[in-house]
């Protein structure tokens, strides 16, 4: 870097470089003007080393961005630098960047490598290469657009220099501003030539410019400022950022010039342009301009729907989106997307089937391109300037010769006047050869990424964060997604910078990588997750997406999750090279593609692990070492493949261990803490990793601090800061030990650790800890120790079956796994009971009593509450696990059903809970009389769940779960001991606490537990919708980051909000198990039925909340929902529902006990196989590819295959081989329509490979029918139940779109009529049709005063793009096997409903017509839904009307006419209403065309006379009038004369057709005479 020296005395250079350069020095009298442009990429000089570095002349001002080269692919913009005889001093290594070479004048720009397919607007087509002819067309369009603007200017000003500058400037800025792909930006030779011309003009032609010419430029600039406001109404840029771009300035200038030209001059200029351009290109440009104008008209409404900042309809998006489809799709997304279940108006329920949603999201992301950020990551406020209502834009920057020095010399592109940096500008600055500039750009990117990830986690749904106090929104989801997206190539630039030779750049790059991997926010999530004793496993953070819906499963959503990139693509290519091949050829483009799919995987593929090992070996600075270890942790959490790559990277693990042990043993720093975390994470992935760490002594080296402290006073004397660091280190070491215990290793270490652990197990002196402000740190340690004890209790043998092991010190089991001993349990229980004796400890008693009385708590108090709750929670879970080991595994084998004796600690635990106010033991009478006691600890925990911040809420729920588990186990053991207190004397006998213990703690507090259950059931209903809004486009998030880096709103599945929802769900299931539904012989009361229905609905809501780690809870939900008592209650709901609803048919039978059992068994088996199965490949994906032979040549990325063999796998507790759950290869969380799978699953019909056992159970037809029958019964039951729920409990069944329910009824008929052949299932099926028909009619009658025109039954948009093909296959099946079955026909006829989208209606009609199945359809009056739904609004779709006439002419309607089919009624109604009713002027031609076709058919087929007579005499029915047959109105009600007049006008004086009209008229007259 340049150094400034205030002295005039020249100093000799301290060293001479081989290139002849020296450091730069400035005196006080030196002219600073030569510094303009002096910061360059390559400093070349033809002189030795005695002159200061600087340009040969002052740069001339132009309209171009400040032309300072900061990119390694650019050549020098300035003339060769000349030095004088002054010496410089300084030996900084950064000064070497300015060394010059005499060959500078001959240097040419370096051509960038082609980067294909990096266009973000095609997000779903990453890696696709566009056709060359399209690229050529776009280039020619761009150049001709520039030519069009410059040729008009040439008529006014003929100066060639100005024209060249404007032309080249426009071309350069178009390259920066237009949404071009990387191939055009970096490999287009034409653009490079333009840049060379600009350089040559500025170097050689500046002397030719006179002061007069500069004045001309300034005058033009002032004119532009005055005219740009008036001209913007025509240009309609629509974005505040676009106003300052050079392209806008040129456009405004040209329009201003046009206003000053006469019509003749304009015509002359246009003629000249037309002659020079290709006529075909002119047509395309005109069409393109018309489409742009159309798009601008709907841009304002689309902006509101997509919620983005700035321009949403610019030329860049139009370039790669089909122009003919944009406008209708955008309008559809704005006005018709009403079934997403969202409160926010912003489009959030985005599915792959909805192209408009994809477009809206792409525009939101594209709007980030021009946002400018400050160095702290905030968006510059000026960039929120909106376009005024008048359409005016701000004036351009207006730099001139006087203020050119105020420009930002660091920017390489864009507007130098704007504050801050855009993301593309920062990325370009990373390629600078000036280390300070590279570090600055990396710091900015790190700040932006950190700010974006934190703000995304704070959001709920939609862009709701405000910028400062301006009220403007910052779409941080889009900011994050754009930055990590494929176009910026952030991963590639960061990987290149990580190899930098300047420590400051490497450190800045490491921080940026750490932020890009969302390390901090992810670790906060995992930290909270590890505090939960309910979750024994972590989840991989690799980004995933859903597999496509298949017809075999009825197109139901919720397919298997798959990794964004195949695991075999993650491994670095250096590991797959054979000995005989020097190197495998591959391109950086492959690495970039992988990074675009999976950010962390791209880093591993680019060999970042080897670079990390090298940096650790070179003794990095503490901040750099901490960042490096953080990156390793983030990579290790990514996936098993990434963790395995770390383990197999040569020397990497040992280097980390050496760094931990080589430093001061007593010193504790963040690097040591994170090193322990790294080994803990690696041990979680594989049991063999844990074994390796133990055998190699790594575990002992990383956990020796656990033995360090002999007393609490020794720890306190370290001081507050050291206590915090030591607490964090000890917590991670205990967690590392706990991982080993879960694998049944290192259990024997407890004996040696016990003295040190006693410090944290016992209740401390709280006053001392509070005085030193270390209470939270001590509580964190105590919590972790009790969680480790909870893991140890799981290694205990069963108390009664293996009682002989109690006196043994340790007993080794198979595979060298260890078990714990019961002799250690007694002291542990005593320590634990001290923590939950809330009334015995003065501090705990006063603290919680004070908290119960306070409505609000300070931040410090809430932090203390959270810490203490975590300790109590861990104690409760430890005790519950201990009691579970006491409960006999087989109670039936016990003598007389009772245990011989109970351990002393069992009743002791129960009495402590009773005496310390955990329950108030309030009775029903006490509640009614108002004599209930004070608030219990249970009620206090419920209060904290509602009123506290998230971590405290999670702690309270976790504490509730542990408390209930302890109470349930104590009650069960007391019952098994057969303790009886009824016969005890009142005096000197059992106390009140003893009686409560004997009767059962839960039984004595049933009222209080019921209140808790009702409270949490209401919470579940609100949390259900929040979980369902996470998946966008079938992905966990829109960005390829890890964990929170998936980019989902609010953190998505990685947010503490969802974690809290899942904890609530687990608690509710626990409460539902406690209060199981018991069906008595008598009929339940209305209150009992209401309570049962609420619980069933809540269980359905819970099913869609649970994630991959909650598989066991999902199984409990299924068992709970499908128990025989629950099915009986659903049957009662069905009968009650049918009796109250007059439009439904009552059953003539009753289901028996055997039917319920059959339904229960078949549905449980189906749901578990369908939604809880794992997907496994034939060959393990994680296989080591080292040693595989690869041959020289291009290495292509492997394909992620859709059809992989799968198998159903049940969770096995023993042996545990991994403590990690993968998102991939499983289906949780299930979609909200999961309960439709029994009637949507038709996989039995495709036994593709009978030798392979698939997870979806290729069924025989009999089993398929049983599942279908059970599914229909269950569906009708939950539909009936939903109708009786109160408004407080919104049913998840009703939230499922009607489209999916009607589709499910069609799928079960797709494979046959088996369910309709059984009388019971046929009645259930018909009632379901009627129920959905009523739901179909509801929207029509709720909207009054407006005509219903919306086609909200969007089968094609909601279910599958090729749904029309499914309908055609269904119709073919209907024609082949139905034999006119009315129920089957009703289901097919629903696709002719007016609310069904036009493509599906057309496909259904054509299929029915082609198969001659129109006559098989039932009459209109028995179709699903109201008659008016099929008739109104009148059909106006040209293709459908033509299809009606085609069926008429072809004879497909002949039998439909005689049989009274709904098909003929639809044709007569819509054709008659269209031809004889009032219609727009643009439909006259179509009316004549249709009329001629019908009359010509009449002339050829006289037998169609009856059909034609009904057509002419048809009269539209009154509102809600049911039609049994076609109306035959009298002449007084139908103006026949007017209709015949219309028919004759349509004949257009054709004599043959007029004769047919006369013939028809005479027939009608004759018939009327006969009637009269």
């Amino acid at each position: 870097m340049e150094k400034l020296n205030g002295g005039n005395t020249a100093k000799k250079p301290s060293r001479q470089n081989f290139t002849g350069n020296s450091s730069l020095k400035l005196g006080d009298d030196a002219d600073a003007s030569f510094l303009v442009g002096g910061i360059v990429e390559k400093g070349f000089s033809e002189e030795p080393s005695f002159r200061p570095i600087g340009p040969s002349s002052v740069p001339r001002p132009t309209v171009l961005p400040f032309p300072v080269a900061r990119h390694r692919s650019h050549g020098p913009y300035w003339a060769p630098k000349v030095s004088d005889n002054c010496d410089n001093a300084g030996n900084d290594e950064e000064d070497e960047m300015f060394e010059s070479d005499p060959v500078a004048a001959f240097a040419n720009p370096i051509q960038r490598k082609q980067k294909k397919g990096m266009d973000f607007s095609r997000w779903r087509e990453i890696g696709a290469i566009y056709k060359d002819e399209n690229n050529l067309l776009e280039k020619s369009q761009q150049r001709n657009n520039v030519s069009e603007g410059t040729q008009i200017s040439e008529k006014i000003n003929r100066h060639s220099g100005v024209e060249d500058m404007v032309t080249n400037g426009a071309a350069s800025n178009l390259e920066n501003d237009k949404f071009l792909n990387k191939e055009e930006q970096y490999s287009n030779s034409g653009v490079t030539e333009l840049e060379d011309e600009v350089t040559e003009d500025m170097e050689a032609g500046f002397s030719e410019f006179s002061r007069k010419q500069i004045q001309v430029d300034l005058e033009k600039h002032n004119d532009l400022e005055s005219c740009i406001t008036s001209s913007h109404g025509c240009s309609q840029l629509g974005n505040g950022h676009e106003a300052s771009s050079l392209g806008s300035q040129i456009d405004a200038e040209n329009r201003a010039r046009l206003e000053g030209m006469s019509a003749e001059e304009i015509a002359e200029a246009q003629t000249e342009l037309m002659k020079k351009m290709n006529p075909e290109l002119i047509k395309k440009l005109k069409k393109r301009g018309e489409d742009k104008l159309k798009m601008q008209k709907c841009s304002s409404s689309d902006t509101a729907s997509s919620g983005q900042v700035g321009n949403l309809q610019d030329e860049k998006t139009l370039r790669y989106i089909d122009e003919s489809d944009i406008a209708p799709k955008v309008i559809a997304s704005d006005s018709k997307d009403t079934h997403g279940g969202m409160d926010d108006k912003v489009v959030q329920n985005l599915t792959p089937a909805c192209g408009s949603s994809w477009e809206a999201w792409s525009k939101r992301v594209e709007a980030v391109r021009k946002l400018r950020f400050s160095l702290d990551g905030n968006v510059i406020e000026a960039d929120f300037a909106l376009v005024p209502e008048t359409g005016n834009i701000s004036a351009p920057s207006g730099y001139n010769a006087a203020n050119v020095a105020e420009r930002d010399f660091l920017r390489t592109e864009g507007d130098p006047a704007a504050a801050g940096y855009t993301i593309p500008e920062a990325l370009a600055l990373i390629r600078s050869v000036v280390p300070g500039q590279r570090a600055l750009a990396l710091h900015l990117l790190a700040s932006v990424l950190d700010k974006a990830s934190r703000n995304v986690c704070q959001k709920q749904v939609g862009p709701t964060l405000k910028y400062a106090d301006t009220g403007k929104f910052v779409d941080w989801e889009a900011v994050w997604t754009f930055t990590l997206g494929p176009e910026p190539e952030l991963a590639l630039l960061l990987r290149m910078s990580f190899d930098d030779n300047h420590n400051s750049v490497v450190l800045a790059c490491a921080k940026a990588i750490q932020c890009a991997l969302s390390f901090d926010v992810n670790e906060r999530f995992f930290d909270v997750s590890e505090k939960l004793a309910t979750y024994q496993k972590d989840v991989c953070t690799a980004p995933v997406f859903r597999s496509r819906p298949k017809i075999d499963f009825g197109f139901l959503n919720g397919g298997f999750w798959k990794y964004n990139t195949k695991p075999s693509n993650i491994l670095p290519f250096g590991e797959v090279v054979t000995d005989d091949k020097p190197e495998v050829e591959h391109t950086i483009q492959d690495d970039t593609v992988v990074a675009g799919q999976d950010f962390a995987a791209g880093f591993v593929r680019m060999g970042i692990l080897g670079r990390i090992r090298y940096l650790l070996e070179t003794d990095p600075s503490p901040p750099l070492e901490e960042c490096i270890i953080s990156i390793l942790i983030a990579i290790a959490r990514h996936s098993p493949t990434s963790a395995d790559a770390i383990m197999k990277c040569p020397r990497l693990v040992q280097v980390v261990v050496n760094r931990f042990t080589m430093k001061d043993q007593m010193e504790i720093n963040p690097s040591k803490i994170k090193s322990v975390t790294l080994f803990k994470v690696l041990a979680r992935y594989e049991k063999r990793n844990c074994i390796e760490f133990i055998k190699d002594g790594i575990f002992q080296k990383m956990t020796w601090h656990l033995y360090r402290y002999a007393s609490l006073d020794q720890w306190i004397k370290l001081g507050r800061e050291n206590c915090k660091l030591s607490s964090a280190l000890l917590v991670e070491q205990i967690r590392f030990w706990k991982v080993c215990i879960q694998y049944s290793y290192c259990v024997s270490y407890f004996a040696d650790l016990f003295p040190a652990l006693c410090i944290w197990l016992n209740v401390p002196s709280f006053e001392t800890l509070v005085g030193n402000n270390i209470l939270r740190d001590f509580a964190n340690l105590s919590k972790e120790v009790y969680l480790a004890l909870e893991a140890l209790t799981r290694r205990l043998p069963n108390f009664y079956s293996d009682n002989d092991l109690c006196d043994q010190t340790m007993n080794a089991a198979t595979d060298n796994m260890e078990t714990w001993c019961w002799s250690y349990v007694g002291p542990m229980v005593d320590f634990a009971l001290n923590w939950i004796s809330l009334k015995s400890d003065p501090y705990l008693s006063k603290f919680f009593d004070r908290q119960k009385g306070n409505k609000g708590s300070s931040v410090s108090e809430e932090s203390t509450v959270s810490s203490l709750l975590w300790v109590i929670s861990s104690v409760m879970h430890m005790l519950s696990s201990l009691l579970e080991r006491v409960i006999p595994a087989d109670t039936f084998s016990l003598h007389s059903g009772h245990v011989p004796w109970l351990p002393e600690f069992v009743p002791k635990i129960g009495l402590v809970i009773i005496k310390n106010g955990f329950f108030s033991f309030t009775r029903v009478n006490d509640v009614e009389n108002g004599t209930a006691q004070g608030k219990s600890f249970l009620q206090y925990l419920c209060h904290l769940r509602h009123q506290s911040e998230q971590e405290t809420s999670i702690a309270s729920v976790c504490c509730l779960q542990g408390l209930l588990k302890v109470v349930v186990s104590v009650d069960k053991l007391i019952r098994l001991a057969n303790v009886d207190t009824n016969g005890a004397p009142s005096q000197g006998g059992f106390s009140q606490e003893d009686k409560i213990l004997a009767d059962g703690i839960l039984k004595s507090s049933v009222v209080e537990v019921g209140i808790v259950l009702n409270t949490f059931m209401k919470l579940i209903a609100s949390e259900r919708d929040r979980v369902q809004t996470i998946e966008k486009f079938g992905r966990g998030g829109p960005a390829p980051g890890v964990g929170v880096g998936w980019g989902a709103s609010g953190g998505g599945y990685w947010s503490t909000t969802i974690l809290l929802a899942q904890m609530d769900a687990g608690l509710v299931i626990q409460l539902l198990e406690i209060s199981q539904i018991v069906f008595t012989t008598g009929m339940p009361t209305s209150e009992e039925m209401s309570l049962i229905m609420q619980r069933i609905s809540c269980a359905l809501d819970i099913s869609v909340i649970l994630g991959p780690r909650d598989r066991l809870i999902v199984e409990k939900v299924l068992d709970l929902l499908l128990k025989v008592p629950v099915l009986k209650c659903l049957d009662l709901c069905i009968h009650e529902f049918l009796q109250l609803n007059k439009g439904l048919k009552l059953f003539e039978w009753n289901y028996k006990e055997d039917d319920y059992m059959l339904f229960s068994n078949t549905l449980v088996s189906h749901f578990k196989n369908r939604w809880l199965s794992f997907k496994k490949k034939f060959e393990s994906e994680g296989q080591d590819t080292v040693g595989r032979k690869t041959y020289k040549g291009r290495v292509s990325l492997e394909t992620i295959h859709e059809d992989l063999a799968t198998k159903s796998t049940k969770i096995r507790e023993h042996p545990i081989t991994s403590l990690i759950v993968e998102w991939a290869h499983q289906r949780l969380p299930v979609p909200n329509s999961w309960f439709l799978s029994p009637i949507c699953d038709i996989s039995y019909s495709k036994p593709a490979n009978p030798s392979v056992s698939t997870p979806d159970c290729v069924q025989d037809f009999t089993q398929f029918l049983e599942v279908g029958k059970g599914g229909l019964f269950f569906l009708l039951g939950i539909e009936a139940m939903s109708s009786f729920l109160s408004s407080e409990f919104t049913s998840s069944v009703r939230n499922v779109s009607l489209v999916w329910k009607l589709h499910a009824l069609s799928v079960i008929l797709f494979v046959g009529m088996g369910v309709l052949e059984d009388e019971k299932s046929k009645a259930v099926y018909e009632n379901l049709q009627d129920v959905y028909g009523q739901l179909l009619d509801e929207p029509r009658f709720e909207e009054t005063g407006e005509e219903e025109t919306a086609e909200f039954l969007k089968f094609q948009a909601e279910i599958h793009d090729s749904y029309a093909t499914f309908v055609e296959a269904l119709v073919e099946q209907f024609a082949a096997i139905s034999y006119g079955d009315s129920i089957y026909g009703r289901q097919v006829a629903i696709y002719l409903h007016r609310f069904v989208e036009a493509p599906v209606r057309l496909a259904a009609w054509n299929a029915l017509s082609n198969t001659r199945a129109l006559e098989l359809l039932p009459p209109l009056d028995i179709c699903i839904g109201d008659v008016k739904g099929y008739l109104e609004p009148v059909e106006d779709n040209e293709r459908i009307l033509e299809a009606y006439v085609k069926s008429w002419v072809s004879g497909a309607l002949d039998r439909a006419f005689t049989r009274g089919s709904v098909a003929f009624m639809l044709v007569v109604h819509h054709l008659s209403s269209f031809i004889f009713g009032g219609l727009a002027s643009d439909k006259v031609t179509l009316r004549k065309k249709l009329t001629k076709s019908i009359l010509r058919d009449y002339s050829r087929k006289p037998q169609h006379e009856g059909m034609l007579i009904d057509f002419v005499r048809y009269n539209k029915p009154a509102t809600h009038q049911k039609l049994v047959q076609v109306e035959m109105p009298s002449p007084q009600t139908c103006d026949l004369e007017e209709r015949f007049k219309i028919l004759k006008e349509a004949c257009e004086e054709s004599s043959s057709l007029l004769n047919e009209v006369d013939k028809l008229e005479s027939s009608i007259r004759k018939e009327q005479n006969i009637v009269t």
Side-chain angles (χ1 to χ4, degrees), residues 394-692:
S394 60
S397 56
Y399 279 107
N400 51 39
N403 60 5
V404 68
E406 298 176 7
R407 299 190 187 198
D408 188 350
F409 299 148
L410 299 180
R411 186 168 293 110
T412 63
E413 59 183 32
D415 182 14
Y421 295 84
T422 65
I423 298 298
E425 289 173 359
L427 293 172
L429 198 59
I430 292 178
R431 293 179 178 268
S432 170
V433 296
V434 180
Q437 295 178 12
R438 298 199 297 271
L440 180 142
L442 290 168
H443 280 299
L444 185 143
L445 286 173
S447 300
V448 171
L449 290 169
D450 182 65
K451 184 80 66 175
S453 61
R454 294 176 186 275
N455 286 332
V456 165
C457 291
Q458 296 173 8
K459 297 172 69 173
Q460 293 299 327
V461 177
T464 55
L465 288 184
K466 294 184 178 181
Y467 170 76
D469 296 327
T470 61
K472 304 300 188 299
F473 295 114
V474 181
D475 195 349
W476 288 108
E477 292 174 50
V479 171
W480 176 265
T481 304
F482 176 82
T483 309
L484 264 64
E487 187 201 353
E489 299 182 1
L490 177 63
L492 178 61
L493 292 175
L494 291 179
R495 181 62 188 91
M496 292 169 58
S497 300
F498 206 49
D499 289 336
D500 204 287
N501 56 358
H502 289 80
N503 293 334
S504 61
V505 178
V506 175
L507 177 58
C509 180
K511 291 181 178 179
I513 294 175
Q514 180 180 342
C515 294
L517 296 177
S518 312
F519 174 78
D520 292 333
V521 288
N522 283 340
E523 286 305 306
R524 280 197 294 272
F525 172 83
F526 283 110
D527 180 65
V528 175
S529 179
E530 290 204 59
K531 295 176 182 179
L532 305 173
T534 53
Y535 287 136
Q536 302 296 322
K537 297 185 178 184
D538 282 341
V539 189
C540 296
T541 60
V544 291
F545 67 97
R546 292 274 195 184
S547 57
R548 295 180 179 178
K550 300 179 181 179
I551 181 58
D552 290 349
F553 308 121
F555 296 125
L556 274 184
N557 295 324
F560 284 111
W561 290 99
K562 302 171 67 175
Y563 286 119
N564 276 16
T565 186
K566 196 175 181 65
S568 58
N569 291 336
I570 299 176
L571 299 178
F573 277 94
E575 299 182 9
V576 295
V577 179
T578 57
D579 296 334
D580 55 340
K581 301 294 179 182
E583 185 177 359
V584 178
E585 293 184 3
H586 68 281
T587 65
I588 298 178
Q589 180 69 16
D590 295 335
D591 300 339
T592 306
V593 170
V594 172
Q597 298 169 346
D598 188 328
F599 204 78
F603 280 124
V604 178
R605 181 184 175 91
M606 295 176 190
I608 195 175
L609 297 180
R611 175 63 176 171
I612 288 176
R613 179 193 60 208
Y614 169 78
L615 292 174
L616 290 175
E617 290 174 340
T618 57
D619 192 18
S621 62
L624 179 58
E625 182 180 4
E626 181 183 355
C627 290
I628 289 175
I629 301 299
S630 301
I631 294 171
L632 285 177
I633 295 173
I635 293 175
R637 291 194 185 277
H638 174 268
S639 64
T641 305
S642 298
D644 193 53
I646 294 177
M647 291 295 298
K648 293 182 178 180
C649 182
R651 308 190 314 277
L652 178 57
V653 172
Q654 193 59 43
V655 167
V656 177
V657 175
N658 293 339
R659 294 291 303 173
F660 184 88
T661 57
M662 286 174 58
K663 296 181 179 180
D664 184 4
Q665 294 290 324
M666 307 303 292
E667 179 187 2
I668 300 176
N669 54 48
S671 298
K672 285 188 175 183
I673 299 172
K674 292 183 178 180
S675 297
V676 179
T677 304
L678 173 63
F679 285 98
K680 175 198 67 178
V681 173
L682 292 174
R684 279 185 171 275
Y685 271 94
E686 282 287 346
K687 184 177 181 179
R688 62 183 180 183
N689 294 346
C690 183
I691 297 174
E692 182 178 343

Side-chain angles (χ1 to χ4, degrees), residues 1158-1305:
L1158 181 61
F1159 288 159
S1160 176
N1161 294 333
T1162 55
L1163 289 178
V1164 168
S1165 176
H1166 165 79
F1167 283 127
K1168 289 184 178 180
N1169 288 330
R1170 178 67 176 86
W1171 299 112
L1172 299 181
S1173 59
F1174 290 100
K1175 185 174 186 178
K1176 296 294 183 182
K1177 291 181 58 177
F1178 296 114
E1179 187 176 340
S1180 177
E1181 287 184 350
Q1183 266 188 338
D1184 183 15
T1185 56
V1186 178
R1188 294 182 183 177
K1189 288 189 177 182
T1190 57
Y1191 299 97
K1192 189 174 182 179
R1194 173 69 180 273
V1195 179
S1196 60
L1197 301 179
E1198 295 188 33
T1199 304
I1200 303 177
H1201 300 284
E1202 290 284 347
D1203 300 324
L1204 297 175
T1206 58
K1207 65 179 181 180
S1208 179
T1209 306
K1210 292 184 178 180
I1211 296 178
R1212 296 181 298 173
E1213 290 293 334
H1214 302 287
I1216 297 175
T1217 59
S1218 177
L1219 295 175
I1220 291 294
V1221 176
E1222 295 183 72
W1223 270 91
H1225 316 311
Q1226 58 87 38
R1227 288 190 171 103
L1228 297 179
V1230 298
N1232 58 355
S1233 58
W1234 65 273
F1235 52 83
L1236 297 176
S1237 62
I1239 59 177
C1240 282
D1241 194 344
I1242 57 175
S1243 58
Y1244 87 95
S1245 61
K1246 289 189 176 182
N1249 190 356
S1251 62
V1252 178
S1253 177
T1254 65
D1256 302 293
C1257 281
V1258 178
Q1259 313 164 38
D1260 57 22
F1261 192 69
T1262 303
Q1263 184 180 1
F1264 168 78
L1265 287 180
E1266 294 301 330
V1267 173
K1269 294 175 185 177
L1272 289 173
F1273 169 80
F1274 184 70
L1275 181 58
L1276 182 58
I1278 58 179
E1279 288 285 0
M1281 175 210 67
S1282 301
S1283 64
F1284 294 119
L1285 288 176
S1286 62
S1287 58
E1288 294 180 341
F1289 296 90
T1290 58
S1291 172
S1292 59
V1293 179
R1294 290 298 176 95
N1295 284 346
V1296 177
S1297 172
L1298 182 60
V1299 171
W1300 278 107
K1301 296 176 180 178
L1302 292 173
H1303 165 71
L1305 293 182

Side-chain angles (χ1 to χ4, degrees), residues 843-856:
Y843 179 84
L844 293 177
S845 177
K846 292 180 180 179
F847 180 80
F848 284 113
D849 288 343
R850 184 172 66 254
Q851 292 299 316
K852 291 177 184 179
N854 292 340
K855 295 183 179 180

Side-chain angles (χ1 to χ4, degrees), residues 1418-1558:
L1420 181 60
D1421 62 319
I1422 66 172
C1423 286
I1424 299 175
D1426 184 53
V1427 169
K1428 190 177 180 181
Y1430 295 85
L1431 305 180
E1432 298 296 335
V1434 175
E1435 185 63 71
D1436 58 353
N1437 187 283
E1438 182 176 350
R1439 296 184 62 189
I1440 294 179
L1441 292 173
E1442 290 177 348
Y1444 287 163
V1445 173
K1446 181 180 178 181
S1447 300
W1448 182 302
V1449 173
S1450 64
L1453 281 172
D1454 292 358
R1455 292 189 177 182
F1457 168 64
T1458 58
R1459 295 184 179 183
S1461 169
V1462 63
F1464 181 71
M1465 172 61 71
L1466 293 179
V1467 172
V1468 169
H1469 171 79
H1470 290 297
L1471 286 180
S1472 178
S1473 301
F1474 180 78
I1475 294 177
F1476 300 127
L1479 71 165
S1481 59
D1482 58 344
K1483 299 291 185 179
V1484 174
T1485 304
L1486 178 61
R1487 178 176 68 179
K1488 293 181 179 180
K1489 177 183 176 181
L1490 299 178
T1491 304
K1492 290 179 182 178
S1493 298
I1494 295 175
L1495 292 176
R1496 290 193 188 99
D1497 174 73
Y1498 177 50
S1499 65
R1500 294 191 298 268
K1501 299 177 182 178
Q1503 65 271 23
H1504 286 179
E1505 182 177 81
M1507 296 169 55
L1508 192 56
I1509 291 176
D1510 288 348
F1511 164 71
V1512 175
R1513 300 183 59 187
Y1514 176 80
N1515 192 24
K1516 186 182 297 186
T1519 305
H1520 307 312
Q1521 178 181 351
K1522 291 190 175 182
L1523 303 179
V1524 180
Q1525 60 184 359
V1526 178
E1527 294 287 342
M1528 300 296 294
S1530 62
Q1532 290 79 10
T1533 61
C1534 180
D1535 192 357
L1536 293 178
E1537 296 295 336
E1538 184 65 26
R1539 296 194 173 189
F1540 280 115
K1541 181 180 178 181
I1542 294 175
L1543 293 178
K1544 291 178 181 179
E1545 289 178 357
C1547 294
E1548 294 182 340
E1549 300 181 358
S1550 174
S1551 58
S1552 59
L1553 295 181
L1554 289 173
N1555 292 335
E1556 298 300 329
V1557 174
D1558 294 338

Side-chain angles (χ1 to χ4, degrees), residues 706-712 749-761 824 828 831:
L706 293 175
Y707 304 88
R708 178 178 176 182
Y709 304 104
S711 65
L712 182 60
Y749 285 39
F750 174 80
D752 298 330
L753 284 172
F754 178 72
L757 295 180
C758 289
I759 303 174
W760 322 113
L761 287 172
Y824 294 120
M828 301 302 102
F831 283 133

